[in-house]
């Protein structure tokens, strides 16, 4: 027989562990299922300096604190890959590579991964010049030269933000047109320390044991150029991983779970928290907030069912 929990939470990132904290504090038996390590995206950030009330903390320590708090309150965290979930007579059945579980309510907190460029050294140099979060890591590059890869709103906003800290900001994009909004393009164009490097392919990340530059080729002329920078912010979109739940909840055209600020999905009893759902601002604070909202909504749902 499958083990039964009040609430099963998929994902042990900030949203999932925050949901576990709220669920257990509400007296619910909660299980968090996580494929990899707990903490989610934040463990890749050397320093978190934008979480209200905590002036400075490493991403790892932040994640550890969340994990300790959730498990200390009685939440169970198991490291299993969730392959799917479906509606059952008394809630939901969740299938992993190890077991199956029953739950009265389900919280999906599967996060979203930053899309990588797929270059050699990219993963290795995260924290050594490569970053996916300008708001998290921009301050480390004060007075330095940096590049942002991408042509969407995130890349433009990141580049604008970085012009405030950095000596020079290159915006490197694969086309000669930018996808991001015109007002953001105009704002960046007015920045004296910003340079647009458009219609180029990124050939290589340069450096020995950390990033020291980006090699690009102009697609129109074939001219090659090494852009010497201390930091590269990769902002080429995100990749949600919600396909396993498409039988249960509606996904938008990019694969995010359709849910509003109440974290309610199109399926009663299933809640979506954090970066995996449709939302404007994907930050640590909004992930934590979603965890609380989803858990409390799940508790109300269970109470109504009783
Ligand atoms: P996005 O809009 O999907 O843009 C991704 C950018 O990366 C595009 O310019 C794309 O190039 C480029 N790209 C994708 N794959 C690439 C690859 N393999 N190599 C090189 N370049 C690649 O992503 P986003 O900027 O993160 O924005 C995501 C969503 O959030 C969007 O809907 C955006 O409007 C929204 N958002 C809104 C705001 C705001 O309203 N203030 C702020 C941030 C984000 P192409 O253009 O050539 O496809």
């Amino acid at each position: 027989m499958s083990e039964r929990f009040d609430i099963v939470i998929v994902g042990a990132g900030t949203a999932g562990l925050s949901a576990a904290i709220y669920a257990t504090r509400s007296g619910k038996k909660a299980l968090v299922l996580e494929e990899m390590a707990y903490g989610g995206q934040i463990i890749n950030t050397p320093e978190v300096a934008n979480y209200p009330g905590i002036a400075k903390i490493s991403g790892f320590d932040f994640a550890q604190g969340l994990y300790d708090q959730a498990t200390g309150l009685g939440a169970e965290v198991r490291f299993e890959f969730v392959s799917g979930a479906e509606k059952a007579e008394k809630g939901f059945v969740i299938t992993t590579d190890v077991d199956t579980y029953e739950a009265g309510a389900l919280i999906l907190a599967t996060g979203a991964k930053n899309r990588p460029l797929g270059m050699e050294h990219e993963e290795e140099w995260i924290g050594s010049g490569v970053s996916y979060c300008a708001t998290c890591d921009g301050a480390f590059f004060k007075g330095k030269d940096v590049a942002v890869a991408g042509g969407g709103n995130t890349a433009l906003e990141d580049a604008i933000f970085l012009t405030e800290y950095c000596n020079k900001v290159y915006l490197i994009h694969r086309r000669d047109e930018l996808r991001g909004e015109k007002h953001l393009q105009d704002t960046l164009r007015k920045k004296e320390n910003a340079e647009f490097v458009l219609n180029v392919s990124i050939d290589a990340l340069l450096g020995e044991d950390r990033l020291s530059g980006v090699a690009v080729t102009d697609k129109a002329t074939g001219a090659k150029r090494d852009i010497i920078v201390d930091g590269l912010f990769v902002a080429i979109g995100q990749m949600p991983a919600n396909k396993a739940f498409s039988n249960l909840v509606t996904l938008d055209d990019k694969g995010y779970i359709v849910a509003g600020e109440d974290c309610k999905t199109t399926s009663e009893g299933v809640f979506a928290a954090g970066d995996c759902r449709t939302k404007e601002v994907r930050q640590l604070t909004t992930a934590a907030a979603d965890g609380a909202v989803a858990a409390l909504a799940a508790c109300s749902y269970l109470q109504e069912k009783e």
Side-chain angles (χ1 to χ4, degrees):
M1 229 176 80
S2 304
E3 200 174 344
R4 187 171 175 86
F5 290 83
D6 296 318
I7 302 174
V8 165
I9 299 159
V10 184
T14 299
L17 290 173
S18 299
I21 290 167
Y22 274 78
T24 48
R25 279 176 58 89
S26 302
K28 301 297 178 209
K29 190 180 172 198
L31 170 67
V32 183
L33 294 167
E34 167 61 52
E35 179 191 4
M36 312 282 278
Y38 56 82
Q41 289 177 53
I42 201 62
I43 57 171
N44 294 322
T45 301
E47 197 173 281
V48 178
N50 60 358
Y51 196 87
I54 304 174
K56 225 182 251 185
I57 189 169
S58 76
F60 181 84
D61 287 346
F62 182 86
Q64 189 64 49
L66 268 179
Y67 177 83
D68 292 345
Q69 194 177 358
T71 52
L73 286 163
E76 278 212 46
V77 180
R78 295 186 191 168
F79 295 93
E80 300 176 23
F81 170 72
V82 177
S83 54
E86 54 191 46
K87 273 192 177 151
E89 204 186 321
K90 287 185 180 164
F92 302 91
V93 172
I94 299 97
T95 307
T96 76
D97 54 351
V98 175
D99 220 331
T100 58
Y101 299 98
E102 285 182 24
L106 180 62
I107 296 177
L108 302 175
T110 52
K113 289 186 179 127
N114 291 302
R115 182 178 290 122
L117 286 162
M119 309 297 301
E120 195 181 358
H121 301 306
E122 185 178 353
E123 205 180 330
E124 182 191 335
W125 290 344
I126 293 171
S128 298
V130 176
S131 171
Y132 296 83
C133 180
T135 32
C136 315
D137 300 335
F140 299 120
F141 295 88
K142 199 171 175 191
K144 307 231 164 119
D145 292 355
V146 299
V148 176
N153 279 345
T154 302
L156 287 167
E157 284 189 348
D158 284 359
I160 292 164
F161 174 77
L162 289 164
T163 58
E164 302 299 322
Y165 288 98
C166 301
N167 179 54
K168 171 115 191 189
V169 179
Y170 298 91
L171 183 85
I172 301 174
H173 181 43
R174 64 182 176 184
R175 290 189 297 134
D176 54 8
E177 270 178 35
L178 295 158
R179 180 183 292 271
E181 288 167 25
K182 190 175 172 302
H183 75 97
L184 293 174
Q185 296 185 32
D186 292 344
T187 304
L188 187 61
R189 280 186 210 286
K190 282 184 199 139
K191 301 282 184 183
E192 281 180 4
N193 58 342
E195 181 180 330
F196 289 74
V197 184
L198 302 181
N199 206 25
V200 295
S201 57
I202 296 180
D203 303 328
L205 305 189
L206 306 172
E208 290 294 327
D209 51 7
R210 59 160 293 124
L211 181 101
S212 64
V214 182
V216 299
T217 299
D218 186 304
K219 289 181 177 176
T221 65
K224 291 188 180 298
R225 176 180 176 190
D226 288 350
I227 299 171
I228 304 305
V229 285
D230 289 299
L232 171 66
F233 291 86
V234 180
I236 61 168
Q238 299 214 317
M239 305 183 305
N242 297 317
K243 268 200 191 129
F245 309 102
S246 60
N247 60 319
L248 210 53
V249 292
T250 302
L251 307 182
D252 74 359
D253 58 351
K254 290 186 177 130
Y256 291 101
I257 300 165
V258 174
E261 292 301 309
D262 59 5
C263 295
K264 289 181 180 165
T265 69
T266 48
S267 184
E268 227 198 341
V270 185
F271 304 87
D275 287 3
C276 68
R277 77 168 175 90
T278 47
K279 56 162 46 193
E280 274 297 316
V281 182
R282 293 194 167 87
Q283 288 285 301
L284 207 52
T285 45
T286 59
D290 270 16
V293 171
L296 295 176
C299 291
S300 301
Y301 169 79
L302 292 173
Q303 204 169 357
E304 281 164 22
K305 282 264 162 193
E306 275 173 14

